[in-house]
Amino acid sequence: MASKPKLVPTPRRARPAYAPSPQKRPSADHFQLEPIKAFYCFLFPALLAAFYAPILDCDETFNFWEPTHYLRHSFGLQTWEYSPEYAIRSWFYISLHAFISRLTTFLPYVTKVHEFYLLRVVLAVTTAACETRLFHVICRTFNPRVGLMFLLCMVFSPGMFHASVAYLPSSFAMCASMLGMAAFMDWRGGLKTAQGIMWFGIAGIVGWPFTVALAAPFLLEEAVLATVSKDALETAIWRVVDGVVRSLIVLALGLCVDVFFYHSPEVVPFNIVWYNIFSGTGKGPAIFGTEPWHFYVQNLLLNFNIWFVLAMMALPLISLQFFSGSSTASVQSRLRSLVFLSPFYLWLAVFTVQPHKEERFMYPAYPALALNAAVALHMVLVALGSTEPGTLAGKIPAKVKLALVTVAMLCSIDLGVFRTVGVVTAYSAPMQVHKALQDPTVGVSGEFVCYGKEWYRFPSSYFLPDGMRAKWVKSAFSGLLPGEFSEANIGFGIWPTSLIPPGMNDRNDEDPGKHIDVKHCNLLVDSYFPGSPVSELEPPYMLDTATWEEVACSRLLDTSRTNRLGRMLWLPELDIIPQPFRRKWGKYCLLRRRTK
């Protein structure tokens, strides 16, 4: 790796403008948390998520859990994205997880359900390790107080609860981007530009290609530093080249894996970008639904509450500090301030203008949001801590200020916990009900488990016993349902993934060939919500007790009858809760056809 430029300032002289001066640093040591303790703090909610978080996005099931199941157990459901005609999903990403999953075969008494949860545990540990790395760098670059605030935001965020174990490229990109941010921010021992580029490259190549946008402010900082002198320019070029070469090596590895599966040289990151931006009329992500511009504002308020507000305040507070003359920071320190705070704003702006919006698209920016929020909260606390008699903060008694801050933080933590518990209790029914299939008396090998309107809540084939397959019954849904990976034993390699599956298209046009008649189903998964409309395509199977009997049932939140507050947060089922605010429930059941 190239040596550090001679005229690039040291990390101490390039401290962010809002970091305390070296003389004031000892006061922050009271907030110092050892990295291993921070790791345990990050790991605890992630492990809870591994065992209790429901799958909230059917993309996670069909585009990632199902292909992994196919590699491990030779059958699984296939979406159009894995057709060699389109190739916008990388087998490289799937193969990494399938390899980890295969290690579970060395453990005794492991079922497919255990395999599912063990892979989630690996995701939880990985996320916690990446969070710890970034936390440690924040403590060294800013101060331990900012690091502690970052930890609180990440640990109690409902968004991080789900993102930490979601088997999604955006979650992988979030972890890799944390390592990239840490590398760019950590100047101790020299600039780590090559390492930062590599991690953001991995985030974009293995995970989600759009994640590389988060590196733009850091690369801009590198470009500015390169103008200091000719020596600085030369070493900056070498650092960038080093990072790009590392990323190209990862790209080459991914290309080799995808060639093995697709039997053609597919550059999947390029295919993803092309489809999402240049696919043309009648195609592209917008055909799967669009949302208003404020979708992410509402979503981030739900998942981060006051932390999102603080994250949005970070840049205005820094600007106010600069223009008010209260900051004595150098130009370079001000530049570093803008660099650290810019990624979140950049990401939010880019995705706000996109018509198609989904919660998971924000995952890569969650750490940047938490950093902005921690910085803003630190500045607010510094301002409130002022004892100068001429200021408003100086006139407020210290106990009152402490009470205000404590109440605000406790409310934020409570809202986060209530949101997390609310989602878990509302939508865990599919994973709970499908565990009943592990009972050998429920079904036999070769049977189908059929899904009508509840197709999108299918938790993956990991919850089906060996020899049992998921099948689709026609419902009111008129889009393209997943098909099945070929189980033919042809061609080179182990899996015939180069075969073009029938009935696939990139326009979300329905394929009738993916449906079977319900009379061929001995097991059926369905839901019932009192008062919900019924139709010929979606009859209330649960009420047809002459044909079907309940094997296992669990409560599922009835969103159509539940007040908005009950949909957003967990509310206790107590008599003191007014009836309009109580959560209303339906039933989600595994049904078995009665024998005549």
Side-chain angles (χ1 to χ4, degrees):
M1 186 184 297
S3 60
K4 179 181 172 183
K6 296 177 182 178
L7 296 181
V8 175
T10 63
R12 180 175 294 277
R13 282 182 283 166
R15 296 179 63 79
Y18 39 80
S21 61
Q23 300 94 306
K24 298 181 180 179
R25 185 65 176 268
S27 63
D29 290 344
H30 298 294
F31 300 92
Q32 185 71 52
L33 189 65
E34 296 177 13
I36 187 62
K37 294 180 180 178
F39 172 74
Y40 292 143
C41 291
F42 289 124
L43 183 61
F44 179 69
L47 287 178
L48 289 178
F51 292 107
Y52 296 105
I55 295 177
L56 299 178
D57 191 331
C58 64
D59 249 14
E60 181 180 352
T61 294
F62 298 123
N63 276 319
F64 306 104
W65 283 112
E66 284 300 303
T68 305
H69 186 275
Y70 176 62
L71 296 189
R72 286 284 295 114
H73 302 280
S74 302
F75 74 91
L77 299 173
Q78 181 181 21
T79 62
W80 67 269
E81 290 98 325
Y82 284 94
S83 171
E85 286 185 284
Y86 311 109
I88 64 170
R89 296 296 182 193
S90 174
W91 283 104
F92 185 31
Y93 175 69
I94 298 299
S95 299
L96 292 173
H97 293 77
F99 173 76
I100 296 171
S101 181
R102 185 170 181 78
L103 298 178
T104 61
T105 58
F106 297 103
L107 300 175
Y109 312 113
V110 173
T111 66
K112 291 198 299 181
V113 174
H114 295 148
E115 191 177 322
F116 174 90
Y117 285 107
L118 285 171
L119 183 54
R120 268 192 159 193
V121 168
V122 172
L123 296 177
V125 173
T126 302
T127 302
C130 294
E131 289 174 295
T132 304
R133 166 61 180 160
L134 182 55
F135 163 82
H136 186 48
V137 171
I138 290 172
C139 289
R140 293 195 314 189
T141 305
F142 301 92
N143 68 21
R145 179 182 294 180
V146 176
L148 182 61
M149 296 168 188
F150 170 83
L151 182 146
L152 288 174
C153 178
M154 297 287 274
V155 166
F156 291 103
S157 159
M160 277 303 303
F161 180 83
H162 295 284
S164 61
V165 296
Y167 184 6
L168 291 166
S170 51
S171 285
F172 178 92
M174 175 188 71
C175 291
S177 67
M178 280 192 273
L179 299 178
M181 290 173 62
F184 275 117
M185 291 167 58
D186 186 8
W187 281 10
R188 184 166 299 187
L191 275 71
K192 300 176 178 61
T193 305
Q195 189 182 123
I197 293 174
M198 178 193 70
W199 283 117
F200 276 111
I202 290 173
I205 295 166
V206 183
W208 200 30
F210 301 104
T211 313
V212 297
L214 289 170
F218 298 104
L219 294 175
L220 179 61
E221 178 188 36
E222 181 75 18
V224 172
L225 293 176
T227 63
V228 174
S229 70
K230 183 178 179 180
D231 289 340
L233 177 61
E234 290 178 355
T235 52
I237 290 174
W238 279 113
R239 286 194 298 269
V240 172
V241 170
D242 185 6
V244 171
V245 169
R246 298 184 194 188
S247 300
L248 289 176
I249 292 173
V250 176
L251 180 62
L253 290 174
L255 180 61
C256 290
V257 173
D258 287 327
V259 165
F260 175 82
F261 283 97
Y262 286 122
H263 293 193
S264 62
E266 300 289 349
V267 183
V268 174
F270 173 79
N271 294 350
I272 294 173
V273 173
W274 184 268
Y275 172 78
N276 281 277
I277 300 178
F278 305 108
S279 52
T281 306
K283 300 180 181 181
I287 65 174
F288 298 100
T290 60
E291 300 291 343
W293 68 268
H294 52 78
F295 173 84
Y296 287 128
V297 174
Q298 294 177 336
N299 184 264
L300 292 173
L301 280 171
L302 272 177
N303 285 325
F304 286 89
N305 52 74
I306 193 174
W307 297 104
F308 172 63
V309 177
L310 287 167
M312 296 300 292
M313 290 171 54
L315 189 59
L317 288 175
I318 286 289
S319 302
L320 181 63
Q321 185 186 67
F322 289 164
F323 293 117
S324 66
S326 59
S327 173
T328 58
S330 65
V331 173
Q332 188 176 27
S333 294
R334 297 185 183 192
L335 172 64
R336 293 225 85 193
S337 302
L338 294 176
V339 168
F340 292 160
L341 299 179
S342 296
F344 172 66
Y345 293 110
L346 174 64
W347 190 266
L348 182 61
V350 168
F351 281 89
T352 294
V353 299
Q354 305 305 314
H356 180 64
K357 300 177 177 67
E358 296 188 39
E359 179 177 315
R360 59 191 167 100
F361 294 171
M362 282 292 110
Y363 287 2
Y366 280 179
L369 183 157
L371 175 59
N372 281 31
V375 168
L377 180 57
H378 170 71
M379 296 180 67
V380 170
L381 292 178
V382 169
L384 285 176
S386 173
T387 57
E388 296 182 15
T391 63
L392 176 62
K395 298 177 181 179
I396 302 175
K399 291 184 179 181
V400 174
K401 291 188 282 189
L402 178 61
L404 290 174
V405 172
T406 302
V407 169
M409 288 297 98
L410 288 178
C411 286
S412 173
I413 291 172
D414 288 344
L415 285 173
V417 172
F418 279 24
R419 169 66 178 172
T420 300
V421 174
V423 171
V424 169
T425 55
Y427 303 111
S428 291
M431 296 170 76
Q432 293 173 359
V433 167
H434 278 79
K435 290 178 182 178
L437 289 169
Q438 304 308 307
D439 184 344
T441 63
V442 172
V444 297
S445 179
E447 281 191 329
F448 300 144
V449 182
C450 297
Y451 302 80
K453 63 178 181 291
E454 287 298 323
W455 67 271
Y456 64 97
R457 289 195 177 104
F458 174 56
S460 84
S461 296
Y462 278 96
F463 288 83
L464 302 183
D466 289 328
M468 201 172 279
R469 302 288 196 272
K471 295 291 183 179
W472 312 129
V473 174
K474 175 60 181 171
S475 67
F477 177 72
S478 59
L480 181 64
L481 289 166
E484 296 178 354
F485 282 106
S486 173
E487 298 175 33
N489 187 19
I490 64 171
F492 75 83
I494 304 173
W495 303 277
T497 47
S498 63
L499 298 178
I500 296 177
M504 294 296 188
N505 62 80
D506 61 350
R507 301 176 304 277
N508 200 29
D509 293 337
E510 185 177 24
D511 173 25
K514 292 185 171 58
H515 301 131
I516 69 168
D517 195 304
V518 70
K519 68 182 180 182
H520 298 301
C521 304
N522 286 329
L523 294 169
L524 175 72
V525 173
D526 196 33
S527 62
Y528 174 71
F529 301 100
S532 59
V534 297
S535 66
E536 184 179 352
L537 292 176
E538 296 182 353
Y541 295 106
M542 210 174 297
L543 301 184
D544 183 8
T545 55
T547 305
W548 303 98
E549 63 176 335
E550 297 180 0
V551 176
C553 292
S554 185
R555 297 194 311 174
L556 187 66
L557 188 70
D558 187 344
T559 56
S560 65
R561 296 189 301 130
T562 301
N563 180 276
R564 175 175 292 186
L565 183 63
R567 297 197 303 269
M568 294 191 301
L569 303 174
W570 173 79
L571 296 176
E573 298 183 13
L574 301 175
D575 293 337
I576 60 173
I577 303 296
Q579 188 63 34
F581 293 99
R582 294 184 187 179
R583 306 171 92 191
K584 309 300 190 299
W585 300 94
K587 289 175 68 176
Y588 180 95
C589 291
L590 171 65
L591 307 175
R592 179 167 49 196
R593 185 180 295 275
R594 293 184 183 275
T595 56
K596 296 182 180 179

